[in-house]
């Protein structure tokens, strides 16, 4: 799976406190936020470095606090999934509903999934990476 070292993980903390703490203490910038079907915040991306993002999601029934998924960026999701399928693994592929990104998710442990992601340059993550400037303190 040829890929640049890039990662993203999704955690379910007390979202408001975690977002404020990450911004105030560490200087992480919010790159995007999405509302769920009920209009409440569902997912917020914080940019840690050019290639590392933290996704904060609310804890809820069936989705307890903790790590929900680990995302790994690949340069060509279709080719990567095709290769994994040739090796006998089953990965579904779907288009992100919130951005022009493609992802594949497979359970890795109870309530934790591995996601393979491809972020085109016009996706929210792609644009955030292009605009990245390290914080000066």
């Amino acid at each position: 799976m040829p890929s640049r070292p890039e990662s993203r993980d999704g955690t379910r903390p007390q979202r408001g406190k975690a977002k404020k703490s990450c911004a105030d203490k560490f200087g992480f910038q919010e790159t995007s936020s999405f509302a769920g079907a009920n209009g409440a915040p569902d997912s917020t991306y914080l940019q840690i470095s050019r290639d590392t993002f933290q996704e904060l999601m609310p804890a809820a029934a069936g989705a307890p606090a903790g790590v929900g998924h680990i995302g790994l960026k690949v340069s060509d999701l279709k080719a990567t999934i095709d290769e994994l399928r040739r090796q006998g693994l089953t990965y579904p592929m779907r288009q992100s509903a919130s951005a022009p990104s493609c992802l594949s998710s497979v359970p890795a442990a109870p309530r934790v999934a591995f996601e393979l992601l491809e972020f085109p340059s016009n996706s929210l993550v792609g644009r955030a990476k292009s605009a990245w400037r390290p914080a000066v303190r």
Side-chain angles (χ1 to χ4, degrees), residues 30-125:
E30 179 180 326
T31 62
S32 54
S33 191
F34 306 99
N38 63 358
D42 187 46
S43 175
T44 297
Y45 278 69
L46 302 176
Q47 191 167 13
I48 297 169
S49 71
R50 181 183 178 278
D51 297 316
T52 305
F53 295 81
Q54 173 72 51
E55 182 181 4
L56 301 176
M57 302 168 296
V67 175
H69 62 269
I70 298 168
L72 302 171
K73 185 224 177 236
V74 296
S75 57
D76 185 333
L77 184 60
K78 182 178 178 340
T80 301
I81 290 174
D82 288 347
E83 178 59 29
L84 291 171
R85 287 177 178 161
R86 277 193 289 283
Q87 294 179 29
L89 297 172
T90 302
Y91 265 84
M93 186 165 144
R94 63 183 165 91
Q95 184 77 27
S96 170
S98 57
S101 306
C102 295
L103 65 94
S104 177
S105 180
V106 66
R111 296 190 178 108
V112 178
F114 279 110
E115 289 184 353
L116 300 177
L117 306 124
E118 180 181 345
F119 294 115
S121 59
N122 66 333
S123 69
L124 294 172
V125 170

